[in-house]
Amino acid sequence: MSSKIKRVFPGGNTSKGFYSYYDNIIEKDANRIFILKGGPGTGKSSLMKSIGKEMLNKGYDIEYHHCSSDNGSIDGVVVPKLKVAMIDGTAPHVGVRKHKLTV
């Protein structure tokens, strides 16, 4: 059985302003949530793409969460079966999780 890729946009600009689903990227009982911070061009998106590719090679389904302003850029990668997510934590994504995370 081959691994599957799901591609979604966790946020988007609408006629009523920006709407966000960032708080719903992964369940609240996630095993791990890794937050990446860094300026533009530092490799956050490339790292998430590489991790997604590696998880696919290991047989896991993954979700790529694309940036609403640049669909070639990744704001997050999720491995649902492992309940693990890696998310861009730089502005404007800083409100992704407001509750305390234990990692």
Side-chain angles (χ1 to χ4, degrees), residues 36-51 73-74 86 88:
L36 300 178
K37 292 187 87 169
T42 58
K44 299 178 301 293
S45 186
S46 296
L47 176 64
M48 289 186 274
K49 288 177 185 177
S50 294
I51 288 178
S73 183
I74 302 295
M86 182 173 285
D88 185 338

Side-chain angles (χ1 to χ4, degrees), residues 11-70:
N13 293 313
T14 71
S15 61
K16 296 181 180 184
F18 186 79
Y19 194 82
S20 173
Y21 286 99
Y22 283 100
D23 285 337
N24 302 305
I25 286 177
I26 194 165
E27 299 87 12
K28 297 204 185 301
D29 67 342
N31 290 325
R32 294 278 190 264
I33 300 174
F34 299 93
I35 307 296
L36 300 178
K37 292 187 87 169
T42 58
K44 299 178 301 293
S45 186
S46 296
L47 176 64
M48 289 186 274
K49 288 177 185 177
S50 294
I51 288 178
K53 184 177 179 181
E54 185 64 27
M55 291 293 103
L56 281 169
N57 290 339
K58 292 183 181 282
Y60 292 101
D61 293 344
I62 63 160
E63 297 174 2
Y64 283 125
H65 293 258
H66 290 268
C67 175
S68 62
S69 61
D70 175 9

